[in-house]
Amino acid sequence: MNTASLVSPEEVAAFQRDGAVVLRSKFSADWLSLLREGIDADLKTPTENFTRHTKDPSAPAYFEDYWAWNKFSQFEKFVRNSPCAAIAAELLKAESVNLVMDNWFLREAGSTSRPPFHQDLSYFDFEGTMCVLWLPLEPVTKENGIAFVQGSHLWDKLFMRVRFADGHPSYEQTEVAGKTYYAPPDINDNPDAYNLLQWDMELGDCIFFDMRTLHGGLSSTTPTETVRRYTLRMTAPDGVIRYRGDWAKDERKQFEAAGYREGDRISGPFFPQLWPK
């Protein structure tokens, strides 16, 4: 590993082989504090994408917001100046990296909601060599973290989008634009049938995973304190706009309003280049 590298050859190999890799001590306490400040500001004045996934309005909630990077200075500073994009470039073996989407999640203490197993790629009208940064803002145990299905990014299979609110209880195999989307396997019902990756994580640790990797909450452990996660999706130069299905129409409207169309490269003001600067 040369002095300019942020990840080792072994970590790059693990990402390429397994579809997910844990990286230790990559983000300082200052970066984590900045993201907590951004989430607090977003909760006070949410964007149009803000969502409460918990159905019961009186229950402890599971919140999410996305495409907030240019609306809150804390997120923009992190996206543009933290090591996130340089790390992504090494893992993807990319000559440049553009932002696809920022995203944060918050589970209030006592929340019983958890992310169902899903594949990020099918949620949005994007295609290309992409990765996701998953950065917890509190320490994580395997019991309250995310599990990844090892090697599932290499299955050459697309899975239907899953609604976080209810786990999407009914599925039918669907074909869109000549591509078949399958119901995701019920991993929670039979976890021993899969090789699952899970890690205990300290502050500053993070996970990078492939946009195609199946992942979700394996445990229904209820947090005893509020937990926050910040995520970024980033792409190599081959990232393009590619129609996935009408289920992604609300997200599509936002970049279409900015002038993007089918087949356009993921670049420009809505998807800025993060690396090299």
Side-chain angles (χ1 to χ4, degrees):
M1 182 172 72
N2 64 50
T3 56
S5 294
L6 294 173
V7 293
S8 69
E10 292 76 18
E11 289 167 334
V12 174
F15 173 80
Q16 298 275 337
R17 178 190 67 239
D18 298 336
V21 63
V22 65
L23 303 177
R24 305 295 185 183
S25 303
K26 296 302 180 186
F27 294 92
S28 70
D30 288 343
W31 286 125
L32 302 184
S33 178
L34 189 69
L35 291 175
R36 293 188 197 104
E37 291 173 11
I39 291 174
D40 288 343
D42 197 332
L43 284 166
K44 291 177 182 177
T45 56
T47 79
E48 65 275 15
N49 298 317
F50 183 80
T51 304
R52 178 191 171 104
H53 292 297
T54 307
K55 288 183 174 182
D56 182 352
S58 64
Y62 184 26
F63 296 115
E64 173 189 10
D65 207 351
Y66 60 91
W67 275 328
W69 69 269
N70 59 353
K71 300 176 180 70
F72 298 92
S73 62
Q74 297 93 337
F75 296 149
E76 184 160 12
K77 287 176 184 176
F78 180 87
V79 165
R80 292 192 181 276
N81 300 318
S82 81
C84 61
I87 294 172
E90 291 196 60
L91 294 175
L92 295 175
K93 302 181 179 180
E95 61 187 28
S96 64
V97 168
N98 283 63
L99 175 67
V100 177
M101 175 183 284
D102 63 315
N103 211 181
W104 62 259
F105 302 87
L106 184 151
R107 284 181 73 190
E108 292 181 331
S111 168
T112 58
S113 296
R114 62 177 174 178
F117 274 85
H118 63 286
Q119 176 189 57
D120 278 15
L121 186 64
S122 60
Y123 278 64
F124 313 104
D125 289 339
F126 303 131
E127 185 175 80
T129 306
M130 300 180 184
C131 68
V132 184
L133 161 68
W134 190 82
L135 178 60
L137 304 185
E138 290 80 25
V140 171
T141 64
K142 293 178 181 179
E143 288 72 31
N144 66 11
I146 295 292
F148 299 84
V149 182
Q150 186 179 32
S152 55
H153 65 309
L154 301 177
W155 291 357
D156 194 25
K157 203 168 187 180
L158 292 168
F159 295 100
M160 287 287 294
R161 174 172 171 161
V162 182
R163 288 195 301 265
F164 274 35
D166 58 18
H168 229 319
S170 63
Y171 286 99
E172 290 185 8
Q173 185 171 308
T174 302
E175 186 170 305
V176 177
K179 295 186 177 182
T180 302
Y181 293 77
Y182 299 89
D186 191 348
I187 292 163
N188 289 103
D189 185 58
N190 189 17
D192 292 339
Y194 304 90
N195 293 323
L196 297 174
L197 302 173
Q198 294 177 280
W199 297 280
D200 295 322
M201 300 171 68
E202 299 297 330
L203 289 176
D205 296 347
C206 65
I207 294 170
F208 273 79
F209 63 94
D210 191 290
M211 281 272 281
R212 299 166 294 177
T213 304
L214 278 167
H215 60 287
L218 192 63
S219 171
S220 59
T221 299
T222 301
T224 56
E225 61 181 23
T226 295
V227 295
R228 292 156 291 188
R229 321 297 191 205
Y230 188 78
T231 73
L232 284 179
R233 297 171 181 85
M234 293 169 279
T235 185
D238 64 345
V240 295
I241 307 297
R242 186 70 68 222
Y243 177 69
R244 290 285 173 198
D246 286 346
W247 56 74
K249 63 184 178 182
D250 290 337
E251 292 83 7
R252 187 181 183 95
K253 285 178 184 176
Q254 297 181 54
F255 54 77
E256 283 190 334
Y260 293 86
R261 296 292 181 266
E262 177 77 8
D264 284 353
R265 184 168 174 252
I266 298 175
S267 63
F270 199 90
F271 307 106
Q273 181 171 305
L274 302 181
W275 188 90
K277 298 179 182 179

